[in-house]
Structure formats: C-alpha cells, structure tokens
Amino acid sequence: KIIETNPSITSLKNARDRAAVLSYSANQQAISTSEYKWTKPNQNNFLTYNIGNLNFSVISDYLVNPAYLAGRAPDKETAVKKVIEFIDTLGANRTDINFDNAVLTFYSITNGQQVPADNPFSAQIARLDLYQNPVDKLPIYYPLENASILYFMLTTLEDTQIIEASYNHPTPGLSESSTYPVKSTQEAYEDLKNGKGFILTKSPESLVDITDVIEGYFLGEDVSQEYLLPIIVFMGKNNFKAYVSAVPN
C-alpha cells in the first residue's frame, strides 16, 4: 500500500521555510488545501509543493529565456549532489532511491525546443532520472519509455540550477500488504494478444517475438494510486515492451 501523509497544523509554515531556503519565497499561492506554489523573486521559476506528502515539481522558462543558452550541462556527480541537496531541503523521502542507478542524459536548446545533444560538452541541459529500488526483489516500472516519473532538469550558469523537476514520489509501505491470486504467464500473454495490456514501446512489425517475461510492480503518475500494481512485463525484438496486470479481473 502507498503511504499516505496528510498536512498537520505546522505543515504550511514548515513548507514555506523550506522553500525559502531554496529561494522560492515570492507569490505564495494555494492550489488546494495541501498544495502550494512559490516563485523565485524576479524569475520565472516556480515550485509547486505538497505540504502533506512533500512531493513537488519545478517549472521555469528555460526553453524561451535566452539566458539559458549560455548554460552548460553538469556532470553526473554534480547533478546528483544538487538533486540530493534539493530533495533534502524540502524534506522529501529518498530512502528507496539508489542514486548510483540514476541515469543522466544531455540536451541542447534549439529554437525553443529541447533536443538530444550531439555530445555532453555541447549540451546546455542535463536530465537526471531517478529509479526506486525493487520491492520484494521485483523491479518497479513506470509509464514512460526509458524515463522515470522522478526526474530533474539541470543547467550550470554561475552555479548549477534545477530548472524543471517532477518528484511525485509514491512511497510503498512495506509493512502493509495484501495477498491476491495472480495470472499465469500464459493467461497474461492471452490478455496481451486480446488488447488488454499497456504497450509501452511498439514494434514496427505486426508480429512480435517475445524474448523475455519479467514480473514487477507498476507505479504511475496518478497521485490517487493506493497500491503497487503487480504486472507481468513482456519484452521483445525492436525494444518492444508491454505491461499486463498480474491480478485477474
């Protein structure tokens, strides 16, 4: 079961103080009873912060602001250090993340668009994707192709900055679980053939050779998800990947 955390009487003050340490101190806005937004003074850089579960996101104008064209992508060590500092300052949980497994990719800004960089040395932006540790030795899968729902975009001007982030971090409560019947691999395969799966990466061929079958858990971007969803993952040629629920309908 996903751990739920509700705001307390001091949550807003604590969140305001934490955000201010990161220079998000202007234009406080209540989005809901548990979600607030702040900006950096005189910048189009916005922090949205859930004062209950401490999840957060960051957006900015880095794609259209010419100042960021002078930016340089940080290396992995610098990016990880900055991200850990940011997460810890906001008090968010990171105990189930192995930063050694984080993936750094590089991008350039071209005509207001983010495009893959030819090489790290010409890149203006780095994206750091974070992945949660396995649960019961089963990997966690996300609804994105080769990317996580937990990510940070960074650039270095005078110092390294976080210019975009999504840290919607559902934390599994390992002490609360339930038992359930599961499908066999053949049953899941029949569901896949009958269109009852989620195809993450399609194959250009009409017939796909399945080369590997893995059990795992699915975590989506829906904040209302209450449980880790057991899934069966089918992989095939041409990077084909599909998820099928392991729980019978």
Side-chain angles (χ1 to χ4, degrees):
K1 183 176 174 63
I2 303 301
I3 296 174
E4 294 183 23
T5 308
N6 296 314
S8 70
I9 193 170
T10 61
S11 292
L12 178 56
K13 179 185 182 304
N14 292 340
R16 186 189 298 117
D17 292 345
R18 288 169 174 156
V21 172
L22 298 170
S23 300
Y24 293 97
S25 57
N27 304 317
Q28 177 178 304
Q29 177 185 350
I31 300 172
S32 68
T33 56
S34 60
E35 200 164 51
Y36 286 77
K37 179 185 285 188
W38 289 271
T39 66
K40 289 186 175 181
N42 304 314
Q43 293 187 45
N44 288 320
N45 188 311
F46 304 86
L47 170 71
T48 301
Y49 189 20
N50 188 305
I51 65 174
N53 59 31
L54 306 184
N55 291 337
F56 59 85
S57 63
V58 172
I59 59 171
S60 71
D61 61 350
Y62 70 95
L63 288 176
V64 296
N65 187 333
Y68 289 105
L69 293 175
R72 288 293 176 265
D75 59 24
K76 184 175 179 180
E77 181 180 359
T78 302
V80 166
K81 181 179 179 181
K82 184 69 176 181
V83 165
I84 289 176
E85 176 186 277
F86 199 93
I87 294 171
D88 288 352
T89 300
L90 293 178
N93 177 46
R94 60 175 178 87
T95 57
D96 63 342
I97 294 173
N98 183 344
F99 284 86
D100 291 337
N101 295 333
V103 176
L104 192 72
T105 50
F106 296 97
Y107 295 90
S108 298
I109 301 173
T110 303
N111 297 323
Q113 300 292 320
Q114 177 181 298
V115 297
D118 293 332
N119 65 74
F121 304 105
S122 65
Q124 292 144 326
I125 305 165
R127 172 175 170 139
L128 189 72
D129 282 282
L130 308 179
Y131 295 90
Q132 290 165 272
N133 291 330
V135 173
D136 297 331
K137 299 182 179 180
L138 297 180
I140 293 176
Y141 291 90
Y142 304 112
L144 305 172
E145 182 181 355
N146 299 321
S148 172
I149 60 174
L150 310 172
Y151 75 90
F152 292 78
M153 307 291 294
L154 305 97
T155 192
T156 300
L157 294 168
E158 294 181 359
D159 58 359
T160 301
Q161 305 176 19
I162 291 171
I163 51 178
E164 181 178 314
S166 176
Y167 201 74
N168 173 30
H169 182 200
T171 303
L174 302 183
S175 62
E176 295 187 56
S177 60
S178 59
T179 58
Y180 43 81
V182 296
K183 298 173 186 174
S184 67
T185 300
Q186 186 59 41
E187 288 173 323
Y189 182 58
E190 291 301 322
D191 281 348
L192 178 62
K193 291 195 297 183
N194 291 326
K196 296 180 181 179
F198 172 65
I199 298 178
L200 187 68
T201 311
K202 293 184 177 180
S203 171
E205 301 177 2
S206 57
L207 295 177
V208 178
D209 290 330
I210 301 299
T211 57
D212 202 3
V213 180
I214 302 171
E215 293 180 342
Y217 288 110
F218 176 82
L219 265 180
E221 297 177 282
D222 185 353
V223 295
S224 65
Q225 183 174 340
E226 296 183 359
Y227 292 89
L228 287 171
L229 176 64
I231 57 173
I232 297 174
V233 181
F234 292 91
M235 299 183 181
K237 293 182 177 180
N238 298 310
N239 297 317
F240 175 83
K241 183 186 289 185
Y243 303 154
V244 176
S245 171
V247 180
N249 295 333

